[in-house]
Amino acid sequence: MEYFVQLFMGGLTRGSIYALIALGYTMVYGIIELINFAHGEIYMIGAFTALIIASVLTLHGFNEIAIFVLASLAAVIYSSAYGFTIEKIAYKPLRHAPRLSPLISAIGMSIFLQNYVLLAQTSDFLPFPGLIPEFGFMKKYEHISSSAELMIFLTTAVVMVILTCVIKFTKIGKAMRATAQDRKMAMLVGVDINRIISITFIIGSALAAVGGVLIASHIGQINFYIGFIVGIKAFTAAVLGGIGSIPGAVLGGFILGWTESFATGYVSSDYEDVFAFALLVLILIFRPAGLLGKSGSQKV
Amino acid sequence: MLKLVNVKTFYGNIQALKGVDIEVSEGEIITLIGSNGAGKTTTLMSISGITSPGSGEIFFRGRPIHNMSPDKIVSLGISQVPEGRHIFQKLTVMENLHMGAFLRTDKDSISEDIEYVFGLFPILTERRHQAGGTLSGGEQQMLAISRALMARPRLLLLDEPSLGLAPKIVKQIFGIIRKINSEQKTTIFLVEQNANLALQVAHRGYVMENGKIVLEDSSDRLLSNEAVKKAYLGL
């Protein structure tokens, strides 16, 4: 039972990260129907930014919590700037091109960013400081979970509540939903579509950066390639839950996290991906639009 | 108030508008009639900036708007009720109305205007918390018009408001269109396939064929014009 809880918590942690990143995929898809393959790289850049800032702050003798907060903040800002710029450079000029063009552009952007970080940093794994502070009260539960896992889940939960409120209650959130449902009509009521698209990229990138900082300080090492693998997994989570659906991305993230965690724990870590993708195939066979996705009918 | 000068609009290689000239004066109801595919919807989309004209000029209250983005054009006071209503399906009636007032910041008068459109279409009051997609066709048309009014337009563009609606509802909606024009002094540009109905409401009319204006006259004269009778009024 203890082992089960341990795996459950591990899955919750992975799931939180997948969910944070999957939200970026799904929100962008919801607005411009593009799979932003460079999104995983945003997450990686967030982790690198946090590493650099944390190193500098450590040298200057800042305390643990200040480092965690400031490094995360810097990662969020830097990644958002990247997300914003990528859209302007790689996708906006292709807005009216055939749908394959921005997709290829996205893959190109992803490869470009990986290699850029590879050249600017290194191909080796870099140790990442454990930024997440240890909580005293977690000592008792050491055998089943850790402060870092708890922190990751709590941060994710808070971020999602905030995101839900923004989308549900603010004017910008309403405009985002309207744009996702009927872009031309949104333009006709005066929504500046370019602004909404930019905001979507910024929010998605900020979420990915949060995920990047959290998981990197949990695992303890990063390199230029981490964004690719996690990106593919988070994309899987988004598709699993129904691409374009925000609750779907969260649900998909957690399902994928648990599947991997239990597969690793009860079978073998070698089979983690086999189970994850077998699940994806199964779900898509029975629910082609994903768990919470809209069924295939196109609006006219 | 609105002036289109030799407007030519293209979809890729297909020329939908072949030099359209239209002039609308303040306070008027004008109608643009013509058969399917004549270019009526394209004309409205060109005015709203959704499909920018390839050449030609559009002036609104003296200012050129043919190169403006759609949101700028809305902010100048042009709202459109597009063909097929385009209600935000998953937004509630209230949210749809608030989207109509997207560019406005005057909270108090927005609530006043919501009361005003609820007065025009009382059925929407009952539906206020329902998702737009659950409304009937007639209710959706009422919501679409209300949403456009929420921007407090000086010029209201209406594309086929009678499409697919029961005659009773059509009558009600056209009554409201007249009311908006006389009470709010809103200028109205009405595109209709139902020429008979449109010419009864409008002061003046334009007849469009194959992307060109072929006839322009007062509604009374168009109603008694032999060619119009034959082609569009089914007489």
Side-chain angles (χ1 to χ4, degrees):
Chain A
M1 185 61 203
E2 203 171 85
Y3 188 52
F4 176 86
V5 175
Q6 204 181 334
L7 293 176
F8 181 87
M9 289 305 293
L12 200 63
T13 311
R14 278 176 192 236
S16 301
I17 302 298
Y18 291 153
L20 279 174
I21 302 166
L23 281 168
Y25 279 107
T26 223
M27 284 169 67
V28 164
Y29 185 86
I31 303 272
I32 55 172
E33 300 198 338
L34 165 79
I35 305 297
N36 176 17
F37 276 111
H39 189 56
E41 270 54 63
I42 297 288
Y43 151 94
M44 178 263 295
I45 284 168
F48 268 94
T49 309
L51 174 63
I52 293 164
I53 300 293
S55 312
V56 172
L57 294 181
T58 312
L59 282 179
H60 286 77
F62 278 75
N63 76 26
E64 235 183 4
I65 295 191
I67 292 176
F68 177 59
V69 172
L70 290 175
S72 306
L73 208 62
V76 164
I77 294 170
Y78 206 64
S79 291
S80 300
Y82 261 92
F84 174 83
T85 315
I86 289 172
E87 192 271 325
K88 289 274 178 269
I89 294 174
Y91 307 144
K92 194 172 174 225
L94 298 170
R95 192 82 50 81
H96 301 288
R99 282 184 62 174
L100 206 51
S101 311
L103 200 68
I104 301 292
S105 180
I107 294 172
M109 217 19 158
S110 162
I111 296 171
F112 169 77
L113 288 173
Q114 277 176 34
N115 285 284
Y116 160 64
V117 175
L118 167 68
L119 291 173
Q121 300 291 327
T122 164
S123 64
D124 299 331
F125 270 98
L126 295 174
F128 195 97
L131 293 176
I132 302 171
E134 291 289 331
F135 304 121
F137 66 88
M138 282 303 288
K139 271 262 171 334
K140 271 192 295 191
Y141 305 102
E142 231 171 20
H143 52 295
I144 48 170
S145 187
S146 68
S147 301
E149 287 188 340
L150 185 71
M151 188 71 180
I152 288 174
F153 175 66
L154 288 181
T155 312
T156 307
V158 169
V159 164
M160 281 177 191
V161 170
I162 296 173
L163 179 70
T164 308
C165 289
V166 167
I167 287 175
K168 241 193 151 78
F169 301 118
T170 67
K171 202 169 171 178
I172 284 294
K174 237 177 258 164
M176 287 171 74
R177 282 185 289 152
T179 307
Q181 287 171 36
D182 193 331
R183 196 203 298 192
K184 196 189 270 182
M185 193 58 229
M187 290 162 88
L188 281 176
V189 294
V191 175
D192 180 350
I193 297 298
N194 290 325
R195 204 168 132 237
I196 294 297
I197 293 173
S198 290
I199 291 171
T200 307
F201 271 84
I202 287 172
I203 294 177
S205 304
L207 298 178
V210 171
V213 178
L214 290 173
I215 198 69
S217 60
H218 182 40
I219 291 175
Q221 57 177 13
I222 57 173
N223 80 346
F224 72 98
Y225 203 56
I226 56 167
F228 182 74
I229 298 158
V230 176
I232 293 284
K233 291 280 176 63
F235 171 56
T236 306
V239 172
L240 201 98
I243 189 101
S245 154
I246 287 178
V250 178
L251 180 68
F254 285 123
I255 288 177
L256 194 67
W258 278 319
T259 308
E260 286 188 2
S261 184
F262 287 123
T264 308
Y266 288 121
V267 187
S268 152
S269 63
D270 296 338
Y271 286 98
E272 140 188 338
D273 292 351
V274 174
F275 278 93
F277 290 104
L279 180 77
L280 174 73
V281 170
L282 274 180
I283 287 180
L284 290 187
I285 286 173
F286 293 106
R287 284 199 62 101
L291 290 171
L292 302 180
K294 293 172 279 195
S295 58
S297 74
Q298 281 275 327
K299 55 182 177 232
V300 188
Chain B
M1 173 183 230
L2 179 76
K3 195 172 175 187
L4 281 75
V5 185
N6 198 20
V7 170
K8 296 176 180 169
T9 301
F10 300 82
Y11 289 111
N13 290 324
I14 302 157
Q15 186 171 7
L17 300 185
K18 296 168 183 165
V20 172
D21 297 277
I22 293 177
E23 206 171 338
V24 187
S25 313
E26 187 122 33
E28 257 190 323
I29 302 182
I30 75 120
T31 184
L32 178 62
I33 57 178
S35 56
N36 239 335
K40 306 186 299 291
T41 296
T42 309
T43 305
L44 292 192
M45 287 300 174
S46 299
I47 296 170
S48 284
I50 302 285
T51 48
S52 301
S55 75
E57 289 167 309
I58 304 176
F59 296 94
F60 181 63
R61 308 177 82 221
R63 288 176 69 175
I65 60 166
H66 43 273
N67 288 326
M68 280 187 187
S69 62
D71 52 297
K72 280 271 158 49
I73 292 172
V74 175
S75 74
L76 290 180
I78 301 182
S79 284
Q80 186 181 155
V81 181
E83 182 178 356
R85 323 184 237 285
H86 286 266
I87 294 304
F88 298 117
Q89 304 277 324
K90 288 192 236 157
L91 265 55
T92 64
V93 168
M94 282 302 266
E95 286 176 325
N96 266 284
L97 292 175
H98 277 288
M99 278 312 294
F102 184 72
L103 291 174
R104 290 172 57 184
T105 46
D106 45 342
K107 267 210 167 110
D108 294 343
S109 34
I110 289 176
S111 346
E112 269 171 38
D113 287 1
I114 289 181
E115 289 314 311
Y116 173 75
V117 298
F118 281 162
L120 291 178
F121 301 110
I123 186 79
L124 294 181
T125 323
E126 294 165 34
R127 303 266 186 268
R128 62 206 298 166
H129 298 301
Q130 258 172 260
T134 64
L135 268 54
S136 73
E139 290 163 357
Q140 289 197 12
Q141 188 64 60
M142 295 174 192
L143 178 56
I145 293 174
S146 303
R147 181 180 57 190
L149 289 177
M150 288 305 296
R152 284 203 176 169
R154 295 167 192 276
L155 171 65
L156 183 61
L157 311 173
L158 291 160
D159 198 350
E160 306 273 5
S162 74
L163 195 74
L165 300 183
K168 199 179 135 200
I169 307 283
V170 172
K171 208 174 152 198
Q172 188 193 351
I173 285 176
F174 274 72
I176 297 289
I177 291 172
R178 248 198 214 114
K179 194 172 168 190
I180 295 163
N181 174 253
S182 59
E183 278 183 7
Q184 302 284 308
K185 306 289 169 229
T186 310
T187 310
I188 289 172
F189 189 139
L190 173 67
V191 160
E192 261 294 344
Q193 272 198 60
N194 187 338
N196 198 1
L197 193 68
L199 289 172
Q200 281 172 25
V201 187
H203 305 121
R204 286 189 308 122
Y206 288 84
V207 180
M208 189 170 224
E209 268 172 27
N210 293 322
K212 273 187 178 154
I213 301 294
V214 292
L215 203 58
E216 172 202 349
D217 216 330
S218 72
S219 294
D220 300 340
R221 301 247 291 272
L222 284 175
L223 277 168
S224 56
N225 179 307
E226 285 304 322
V228 173
K229 268 190 189 169
K230 227 183 201 157
Y232 302 106
L233 301 176
L235 297 171

